[in-house]
């Protein structure tokens, strides 16, 4: 099977993404020091999700791979979330 | 596709490679040999599990103590469950027939990761060894049932850790097999074998592999939590520390329900192939068969709560799970309809594999209908933890996966061994097995409905007659199975030579010699049509 | 003995992704437990979280993020035939991973000297919410640390193969796979961090 020329990500890209990730980390720390009640955890998880999408997309190369990989990764995440939500359905409504 | 007659290369059985004797088997990375290693191990544990079942039924022939104490009975039903579920039925069809046939049926020379495949078998052996050890070491065999429910599983003095660790290793084996099959099917199909030209057995293995991959880790982590509970008193399932035993049940069944689809999907795939071949007709509704396999795998992920209807879940959880349980039955029903439609106006070849397929359809339907009864909330209150449940899952797991396994054994026996089995003894064995099966498990529906609980070594005198009938059924079943298996073993040596295509099958395995050469195909075939290309 | 070994890098990478899914599901089970017990003991979790050092947690998060960047860059280096740089970046990744573990050691040590660990008498005297919080904390960060150790071992093996020339610009899928595994370990921490340190 022939090898097409592999996609090379420039060092710069990784460093820029890293800077963004560190910034997001510090933002999440700052934001959660403010008492937002029940939204604190939501905000923190939202930022975590944004960070994850950068790690998945750039560091793990998903952005440059066949779209099918991204679809399956999202499907697995949705699966885990569904199991959590359905289980919580028991606890919330007891 | 014509059948080559000029191949002189040795079969995979005769091949002489780097290792000699037993080492040429236990160090082999040939998918065909690995399939047989699994077959050998699985048959041994099936015999162990079946013998324990026989003894359990003998204890139940009369109320009160018959041959064993209650504690022994508890250990027996635990071991019976662990062995049958984790060591026989879950690996079952994928590990034996998936390993042997999948690469051949898609036109490949082996699976994607042959060494990982061998590692899967090593993990299997390590896992069953741990299970055996759990019987003899420490303070006595586990007595929690194969479900290891908290809080008893972290309080009992029985040997939980080796059993739990064994189950963990067996799960890891299953995960790696699923991973291997997924990559194999994605990357190694022969040129021209588009997805919708793949036969239904590989499709079934594909759907199953996703479940193996994505469900099994949940039981892995749950078992680790049980270990943490037992050793560190971590508190996840201990009410005195704030934990909820029901959460254990949620986590356990989040895997163990999809696990039953790991058991049944490959069985359905094998039945589809057997149906097509012996009807000499393309399977009815091929596309629907593909979609229904994927649908079962998907929807099956969300019904686990139906094992917990009486445990104390919220009302919302109850009716959500009940509704989803009814939905997951629909694709299975589609499959039954399609198998029967395949037979309609077909030119049927009455051979042993076909008889197993017919028997499968009957018992699978009984098992399936009883599942719907159990899935109804009101009925479940009455039937949960009774022998009705025991009847349901034996009809659907033993009758379903088990009968399909024996059907597959006979169907692919000529290809695997290069010999024909003795059909007369095969059919005698089948008839005895079937009669024994119905006699053993049929009465349990009635006994359960009348209130006889499961996992009790004693029962009320009013259940006595049904139990006598059931136990006698176990003797007939056991004899039937013995005949079936001994016949196959004897036929390996004494059977007549099998041609490449004894049944007139149209899938790729029938185009290569029986038994196959090491590399399966002289040349990788080019596929230009769908499977089951009957005129 | 099998067919002549054919090389399929895409199969190799796909296999690694599939394995990562199993790891996601493995930790997923623990997130289920976290979600349930946090729901039932919201206040206790909130208070117990304030006993963890946000500073150490943040430092550790940044350490892992940098180590993810370094291993990603090592792949670029290998693709550009810069073996020295690839090895340097890989070594950095290893050192950062070890720094994470050292931090964890001190963090855990601090709790253990105060007799707060699963099954301890001191912990048992605190409320059920605390017991569950710390149970989850030790179990999840412990399992995560185990995966860091496995990841470091994997990276070590890859480093040796680069030195020996077994991994180079024309054959580096093993490096990519070790990177994928390491990124997963980073991803898990990206979620563990807010769930244990930032819910004050």
């Amino acid at each position: 099977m022939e090898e097409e020329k592999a996609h090379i990500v420039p060092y710069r890209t990784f460093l820029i993404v890293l800077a963004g990730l560190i910034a997001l980390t510090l933002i999440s720390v700052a934001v959660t020091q403010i008492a937002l009640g029940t939204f604190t955890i939501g905000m923190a998880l939202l930022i975590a999700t944004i960070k994850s999408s950068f790690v998945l997309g750039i560091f793990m190369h998903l952005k440059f791979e066949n779209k099918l990989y991204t679809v399956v990764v999202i499907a697995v995440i949705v699966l885990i979330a569904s199991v959590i939500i359905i289980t919580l359905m028991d606890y919330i409504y007891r | 596709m014509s059948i080559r007659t000029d191949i002189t290369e040795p079969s995979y059985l005769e091949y002489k490679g780097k290792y000699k004797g037993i080492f040429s088997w236990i160090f082999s990375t040939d998918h065909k040999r690995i399939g047989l290693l699994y077959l050998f191990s699985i048959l041994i544990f099936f015999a162990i599990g079946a013998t324990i079942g026989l003894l359990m039924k003998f204890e139940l022939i009369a109320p009160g103590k018959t041959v064993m104490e209650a504690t022994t009975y508890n250990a027996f039903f635990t071991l019976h469950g662990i062995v049958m579920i984790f060591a026989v039925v879950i690996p079952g069809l994928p590990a034996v027939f998936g390993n042997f046939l999948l690469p051949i049926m898609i036109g490949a020379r082996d699976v994607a990761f042959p060494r990982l495949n061998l590692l899967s078998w090593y993990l299997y052996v390590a896992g069953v060894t741990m299970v055996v050890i759990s019987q003899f070491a420490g303070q006595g065999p586990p007595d929690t049932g194969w479900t290891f429910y908290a809080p008893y599983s972290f309080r009992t003095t029985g040997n939980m850790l080796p059993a739990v660790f064994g189950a963990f290793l067996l799960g890891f084996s299953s995960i790696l097999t699923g991973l291997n099959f997924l990559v194999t099917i994605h990357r190694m199909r022969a040129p021209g074998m588009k997805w919708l030209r793949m036969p239904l057995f590989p499709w079934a293995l594909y759907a199953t592999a996703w479940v193996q991959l994505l469900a099994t880790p949940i039981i892995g982590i749950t078992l680790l939590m049980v270990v943490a509970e037992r050793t560190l008193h971590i508190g996840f399932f201990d009410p005195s520390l704030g934990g909820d035993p029901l959460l254990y049940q949620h986590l356990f069944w989040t895997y163990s329900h999809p696990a039953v689809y790991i058991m049944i999907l490959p069985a359905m795939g094998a039945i589809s192939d057997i149906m097509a071949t012996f009807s000499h007709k393309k399977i009815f509704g091929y596309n629907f068969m593909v979609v229904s396999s994927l649908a079962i795998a998907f929807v099956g992920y969300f019904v686990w709560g139906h094992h917990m209807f009486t445990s104390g879940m919220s009302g919302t959880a109850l009716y959500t799970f009940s509704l989803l349980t009814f939905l997951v039955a629909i694709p299975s029903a589609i499959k039954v309809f399609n198998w029967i439609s395949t037979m309609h106006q077909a030119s049927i070849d009455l051979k042993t594999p076909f008889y197993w397929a017919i028997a499968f359809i009957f018992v699978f339907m009984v098992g399936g209908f009883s599942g719907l009864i159990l899935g109804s909330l009101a009925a479940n209150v009455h039937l949960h933890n009774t022998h009705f449940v025991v009847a349901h899952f034996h009809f659907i797991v033993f009758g379903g996966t088990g009968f399909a396994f024996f059907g597959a054994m006979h169907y692919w026996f000529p290809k695997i061994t290069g010999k024909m089995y003795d059909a007369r003894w095969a059919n005698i064995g089948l008839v005895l097995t079937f009669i024994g099966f119905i006699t053993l498990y049929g009465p349990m529906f009635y006994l359960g409905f009348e209130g006889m609980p499961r996992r009790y070594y004693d029962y009320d005198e009013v259940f006595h007659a049904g139990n006598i009938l059931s136990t006698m059924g176990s003797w007939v079943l056991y004899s039937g199975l013995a005949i079936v298996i001994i016949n196959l073993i004897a036929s390996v040596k004494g059977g007549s030579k099998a041609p490449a295509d004894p049944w007139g099958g149209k899938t790729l395995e029938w185009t290569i010699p029986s038994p196959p050469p090491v590399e399966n195909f002289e040349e990788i075939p080019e596929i230009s049509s769908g499977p089951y290309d009957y005129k | 003995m099998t067919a002549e070994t054919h090389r399929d890098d895409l199969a190799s990478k796909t296999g690694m992704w599939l394995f990562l899914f199993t790891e996601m599901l493995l930790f997923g089970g623990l997130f289920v437990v976290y979600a349930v017990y946090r729901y039932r003991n919201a206040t206790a979790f909130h208070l117990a979280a304030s006993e963890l050092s946000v500073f150490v947690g943040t430092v550790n998060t940044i350490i892992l993020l940098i180590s993810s960047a370094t291993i990603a860059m090592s792949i670029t280096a290998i693709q550009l035939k810069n073996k020295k740089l690839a090895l340097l970046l890989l070594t950095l990744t290893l050192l950062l991973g070890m720094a994470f573990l050292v931090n964890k050691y001190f963090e855990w040590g601090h709790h253990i000297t105060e007799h707060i660990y699963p099954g301890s008498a001191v912990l048992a005297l605190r409320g059920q919410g605390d017991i569950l919080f710390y149970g989850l904390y030790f179990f999840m960060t412990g399992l995560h640390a185990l995966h860091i150790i496995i990841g470091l071992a994997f990276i070590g093996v890859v480093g040796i193969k680069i030195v020996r020339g077994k991994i180079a610009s024309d054959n580096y899928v093993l490096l990519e796979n070790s990177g994928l595994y390491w990124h997963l370990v980073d991803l898990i921490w990206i979620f563990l961090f807010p769930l244990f340190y930032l819910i004050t």
Side-chain angles (χ1 to χ4, degrees):
Chain A
M1 37 145 266
E2 353 88 56
E3 306 274 347
E4 29 176 276
K5 192 148 179 340
H7 174 267
I8 303 182
V9 180
Y11 299 114
R12 233 177 83 88
T13 310
F14 288 129
L15 290 168
I16 294 175
V17 170
L18 174 62
L21 287 170
I22 294 177
L24 283 169
T25 306
L26 296 171
I27 291 172
S28 68
V29 173
V31 156
T32 52
Q33 305 293 19
I34 313 166
L36 288 169
T38 40
F39 292 111
T40 318
I41 183 88
M43 204 56 220
L45 285 176
L46 177 64
I47 295 177
T49 308
I50 296 171
K51 287 161 73 180
S52 304
S53 56
F54 280 112
V55 173
L56 283 161
I58 311 289
F59 285 175
M60 296 173 88
H61 217 246
L62 270 185
K63 185 163 178 263
F64 315 106
E65 306 273 10
N66 188 321
K67 294 279 172 287
L68 186 60
Y69 287 87
T70 306
V71 168
V72 179
V73 168
I74 293 178
V76 172
I77 293 171
V78 168
L79 181 67
I80 298 170
S82 307
V83 170
I84 293 175
I85 291 169
I86 295 177
T87 307
L88 281 173
M89 286 293 110
D90 177 21
Y91 287 89
I92 293 176
Y93 290 104
R94 278 207 203 153
Chain B
M1 287 169 278
S2 62
I3 298 165
R4 303 285 306 261
T5 50
D6 58 335
I7 294 176
T8 51
E9 47 182 293
S11 80
Y12 77 98
L13 289 167
E14 300 158 334
Y15 175 83
K16 298 234 181 299
K18 208 165 100 183
Y19 301 103
K20 306 276 179 290
I22 185 105
F23 297 110
S24 72
W25 282 88
I26 63 176
F27 291 153
S28 170
T29 55
D30 178 355
H31 67 99
K32 300 182 284 300
R33 288 198 174 197
I34 293 176
L36 288 186
L37 287 173
Y38 270 110
L39 179 62
F40 181 69
S41 332
I42 286 172
L43 281 178
I44 289 177
F45 280 89
F46 179 65
I48 293 173
T51 307
I52 293 173
L54 192 71
L55 290 167
M56 283 164 63
K57 284 312 302 181
F58 193 68
E59 169 58 38
L60 289 180
I61 198 172
K65 175 179 163 177
T66 310
V67 287
M68 62 181 82
E69 299 299 336
T71 45
T72 312
Y73 186 79
N74 293 353
F76 268 17
F77 71 65
T78 302
L79 186 63
H80 177 78
I82 294 174
V83 164
M84 288 306 203
I85 297 210
F86 292 121
V88 176
V89 187
I90 286 178
L93 281 146
V96 178
F97 300 106
N99 265 315
F100 199 102
L101 273 318
L102 173 65
I104 299 175
M105 291 177 91
I106 62 172
R109 298 200 186 283
D110 207 311
V111 293
F113 306 117
R115 287 174 301 180
L116 196 70
N117 206 7
L118 183 62
L119 176 66
S120 287
W121 184 69
Y122 287 163
L123 286 168
Y124 174 89
V125 172
V128 294
T129 305
M130 291 306 305
V131 170
V132 169
I133 286 174
S134 77
Q135 296 301 300
F136 304 109
Q139 291 208 52
D143 57 347
T144 55
W146 74 277
T147 44
F148 305 134
Y149 270 19
Y152 188 56
S153 59
F154 60 83
R155 294 195 182 141
T156 179
T157 52
N159 248 337
M160 293 311 301
L161 293 181
V164 163
F165 187 50
F168 183 87
L169 290 171
L170 289 166
F172 205 0
S173 171
S174 184
I175 287 173
L176 294 178
T177 300
L179 190 155
N180 221 334
F181 285 2
L182 284 172
V183 181
T184 304
I185 293 173
H186 270 276
R187 295 293 300 163
M188 295 175 73
R189 280 169 288 129
M193 183 168 286
K194 308 189 209 198
W195 283 95
L196 292 178
R197 286 183 180 165
M198 239 180 15
L200 288 172
F201 186 58
W203 261 117
L205 291 170
Y206 181 75
T208 307
W210 277 112
V211 185
Q212 285 175 284
L213 192 82
L214 296 180
T216 317
I218 304 259
I219 189 114
I221 195 70
T222 309
L223 293 173
L224 286 180
M225 288 189 230
V226 170
V227 171
E229 195 68 81
R230 259 182 101 74
T231 54
L232 302 173
H233 308 289
I234 201 154
F236 292 159
F237 309 127
D238 188 343
S240 68
L241 298 174
D244 182 12
L246 204 53
L247 184 59
Y248 172 83
Q249 293 188 27
H250 274 294
L251 289 167
F252 178 82
W253 288 113
T254 304
Y255 162 71
S256 299
H257 190 83
V260 314
Y261 297 112
I262 297 174
M263 299 176 201
I264 200 67
L265 281 170
M268 291 164 151
I271 295 295
S272 292
D273 275 16
I274 291 172
M275 267 301 163
T277 300
F278 292 92
S279 305
H280 293 287
K281 191 171 161 221
K282 182 173 165 147
I283 200 87
F284 181 88
Y286 169 89
N287 289 352
F288 268 87
M289 290 304 240
V290 169
V291 172
S292 62
S293 292
L294 297 168
I296 290 170
F298 178 69
V299 181
Y301 221 103
F302 302 113
V303 304
W304 75 81
H306 68 225
H307 299 269
M308 302 160 58
F309 281 156
T310 63
S311 300
M313 291 194 299
S314 71
T316 312
L318 288 174
Y319 48 78
T320 309
F321 282 121
S322 181
L323 175 65
L324 288 165
T325 302
F326 272 78
L327 288 179
V328 82
I330 296 173
S332 295
I334 291 174
K335 284 186 183 290
V336 175
F337 181 85
N338 286 2
W339 289 320
I340 296 176
S341 302
T342 305
M343 292 190 277
H344 178 61
Q345 294 190 333
S347 170
I348 296 184
D349 197 4
L350 291 174
K351 294 274 179 351
T352 312
F354 182 77
Y355 293 138
W356 281 107
I358 302 290
F360 167 95
I361 293 178
F362 176 72
V363 295
F364 176 72
M365 291 199 70
V366 171
F369 284 137
S370 59
L372 287 174
I373 296 173
L374 287 167
S376 315
L377 292 170
N380 190 280
V381 175
H382 179 63
L383 296 170
H384 180 69
N385 265 350
T386 67
H387 263 74
F388 191 94
V389 180
V390 180
H392 159 71
F393 62 68
H394 281 96
F395 264 85
I396 209 155
V397 177
F398 188 359
T401 307
F403 282 19
F405 191 93
F406 291 117
M409 278 249 54
H410 289 85
Y411 181 48
W412 282 308
F413 185 86
K415 182 57 53 187
I416 294 174
T417 62
K419 300 285 177 66
M420 295 302 291
Y421 56 81
D422 182 316
R424 204 169 64 106
W425 279 109
N427 293 338
I428 292 172
L430 182 158
V431 168
L432 273 177
T433 301
F434 185 79
I435 293 173
F437 181 93
I438 301 291
T439 314
L440 166 58
Y441 297 116
M444 289 185 189
F445 281 122
Y446 169 75
L447 288 167
F449 184 78
E450 289 296 308
M452 179 182 171
R454 63 182 288 206
R455 291 179 169 171
Y456 279 47
Y457 101 130
D458 190 8
Y459 53 81
D460 199 279
E461 180 58 40
V462 75
F463 302 123
H464 196 174
N467 273 289
I468 293 176
L469 183 60
S470 178
T471 301
M472 290 185 350
S474 75
W475 300 335
V476 176
L477 172 65
Y478 201 81
S479 318
L481 287 173
I483 292 175
V484 168
I485 294 174
I486 291 171
N487 178 44
L488 288 173
I489 295 174
S491 299
V492 173
K493 267 279 146 69
S496 56
K497 194 155 155 32
D501 185 13
W503 314 124
K506 293 290 183 196
T507 41
L508 282 177
E509 72 269 33
W510 308 113
T511 65
I512 62 177
S514 304
V518 167
E519 305 225 334
N520 301 338
F521 299 93
E522 176 91 348
E523 278 164 40
I524 300 292
E526 282 247 8
I527 312 301
S528 54
S529 63
Y532 320 119
D533 197 17
Y534 291 97
K535 298 291 168 280
Chain C
M1 37 99 283
T2 34
E4 75 284 353
T5 41
H6 69 284
R7 180 180 143 186
D8 184 351
D9 287 354
L10 194 53
S12 198
K13 196 157 48 166
T14 307
M16 191 69 216
W17 270 107
L18 291 175
F19 184 68
L20 294 188
F21 297 153
T22 70
E23 295 279 37
M24 286 164 66
L25 263 301
L26 190 80
F27 278 90
L30 283 166
F31 283 111
V32 172
V33 178
Y34 179 95
V36 167
Y37 290 137
R38 174 133 196 284
Y39 172 75
R40 302 221 303 185
N41 301 277
T43 318
F45 269 48
H46 165 80
L47 289 171
S50 61
E51 295 172 19
L52 299 178
S53 163
V54 175
F55 177 71
V56 176
T58 309
V59 165
N60 261 353
T61 307
I62 293 175
I63 284 176
L64 277 190
L65 289 172
I66 298 174
S67 71
S68 261
T70 50
I71 197 167
M73 290 194 285
S74 77
I75 295 174
T76 300
I78 262 279
Q79 287 174 308
L80 296 175
K81 302 199 207 307
N82 194 338
K83 182 167 153 174
K84 271 224 177 77
L85 182 58
L87 280 169
L88 174 66
L89 288 163
L90 223 50
T91 310
L92 264 174
T93 311
L94 270 170
L95 289 172
L96 287 163
M98 289 194 253
F100 181 96
L101 287 175
V102 167
N103 274 341
K104 258 287 127 283
Y105 171 80
F106 283 116
E107 256 193 306
W108 275 30
H110 168 73
H111 290 296
I112 292 170
T113 42
E114 306 210 328
H115 301 289
I116 297 190
Y117 51 85
S120 78
V122 169
L123 187 59
L125 287 173
R126 298 170 66 154
Q128 292 184 341
D130 283 29
I131 294 173
L132 290 168
F133 177 85
Y134 278 108
L136 279 162
Y137 170 74
F138 279 103
F139 197 102
M140 292 182 84
T141 61
L143 189 65
H144 177 259
L146 178 65
H147 282 76
I148 294 234
I149 294 171
I150 295 170
L152 292 177
F154 193 173
I155 292 170
V157 167
V158 165
I160 293 171
K161 284 189 185 280
I162 294 179
V163 166
R164 293 192 182 158
K166 295 269 172 63
I167 293 178
S169 61
D170 60 346
N171 185 9
Y172 55 89
V173 74
L174 208 57
L175 174 61
E176 284 181 300
N177 285 351
S178 71
L180 285 175
Y181 190 81
W182 190 253
H183 293 307
L184 181 81
V185 168
D186 184 21
L187 276 175
I188 293 166
W189 184 260
I190 285 175
F191 282 94
L192 286 183
F193 173 57
L195 290 179
F196 283 107
Y197 294 82
L198 300 185
I199 54 164
T200 50

